Amino acid sequence: MLRRRTGGKRFSAGPRIRADVPETTLLAFRPTRLIAFQYYVGWVFLWILALIAFWDPWRVIPDWEVPFLGILFQTLLAALVGFLGLVTVLYAEFRRLTTRYTVTDSRVIRQDGILRKKTNQMPFSKIERVELDQSLLQRVLKFGDIQMDTGEDTIVLESLGHVNLVQDELSKLVAAYARR
């Protein structure tokens, strides 16, 4: 019972509601590296271009020496293209490592970013449908996307490994909340 003094009178606020009960985390995971597949393809392509620029097998790049550096232009071009490829793969890893999915006993949470944090939460009581989306390649590699819909809002959990197990668990939780 909660009692307070106001104007010399005592009153009771009724039974206390336990709002401080912690949630239990059931699943916590990150997407697979295939979430940034296009960046990895770009990285390989840029490194191939860097090797071609360095070797210059067709002799199309002029043999100029870059002032102040004392290296050939083709070497500088290869280094810049290779560095751009490295930046591409670092961005892909950064994107993957800053995306986190958490399933608690009452909601699903998707968090993106470090500096600019974006959090999307969806309680199980609002979820109307859990949909699995897999292409042929994704089915072979056993990963895919899960889309959860409330009718108004959508959360997409991209590039999940063991996607069938995750979908089964989410469907069970949604069904359990629907029975309540």
Side-chain angles (χ1 to χ4, degrees):
M1 283 279 214
L2 179 65
R3 296 181 185 191
R4 292 187 186 171
R5 286 193 162 244
T6 56
K9 297 182 181 177
R10 290 185 177 182
F11 73 95
S12 172
R16 293 181 66 176
I17 298 174
R18 297 267 331 224
D20 58 344
V21 176
E23 289 183 298
T24 302
T25 299
L26 303 175
L27 298 170
F29 42 91
R30 297 186 189 281
T32 64
R33 283 192 166 79
L34 296 171
I35 192 172
F37 180 71
Q38 67 270 19
Y39 295 106
Y40 292 110
V41 170
W43 170 62
V44 169
F45 179 72
L46 286 171
W47 276 64
I48 290 171
L49 282 179
L51 288 173
I52 290 172
F54 182 73
W55 284 327
D56 193 19
W58 301 284
R59 301 286 177 219
V60 293
I61 301 173
D63 288 338
W64 300 331
E65 187 171 314
V66 178
F68 306 109
L69 293 178
I71 59 173
L72 292 176
F73 177 71
Q74 71 187 39
T75 305
L76 179 64
L77 181 64
L80 290 175
V81 171
F83 180 73
L84 185 61
L86 180 65
V87 167
T88 302
V89 79
L90 288 176
Y91 175 76
E93 278 300 305
F94 180 76
R95 181 175 174 215
R96 184 183 76 84
L97 291 175
T98 59
T99 301
R100 177 177 300 193
Y101 309 127
T102 306
V103 178
T104 69
D105 54 356
S106 63
R107 61 190 170 145
V108 176
I109 305 165
R110 177 184 171 144
Q111 295 175 324
D112 294 306
I114 290 178
L115 298 176
R116 184 178 166 258
K117 196 90 160 166
K118 180 180 176 185
T119 302
N120 195 353
Q121 301 178 19
M122 187 175 290
F124 285 123
S125 59
K126 303 281 185 187
I127 296 176
E128 295 176 358
R129 137 183 98 96
V130 178
E131 183 178 301
L132 173 62
D133 184 24
Q134 285 182 304
S135 68
L136 179 62
L137 179 64
Q138 287 175 329
R139 286 176 51 203
V140 170
L141 298 175
K142 296 183 181 176
F143 78 97
D145 302 337
I146 293 179
Q147 182 176 350
M148 290 170 287
D149 188 21
T150 64
E152 296 176 9
D153 196 13
T154 301
I155 287 184
V156 178
L157 307 179
E158 299 174 295
S159 293
L160 297 178
H162 307 289
V163 69
N164 292 326
L165 295 174
V166 175
Q167 184 207 17
D168 290 343
E169 290 301 318
L170 288 173
S171 296
K172 287 176 189 174
L173 290 168
V174 169
Y177 263 84
R179 285 183 289 219
R180 288 184 182 186

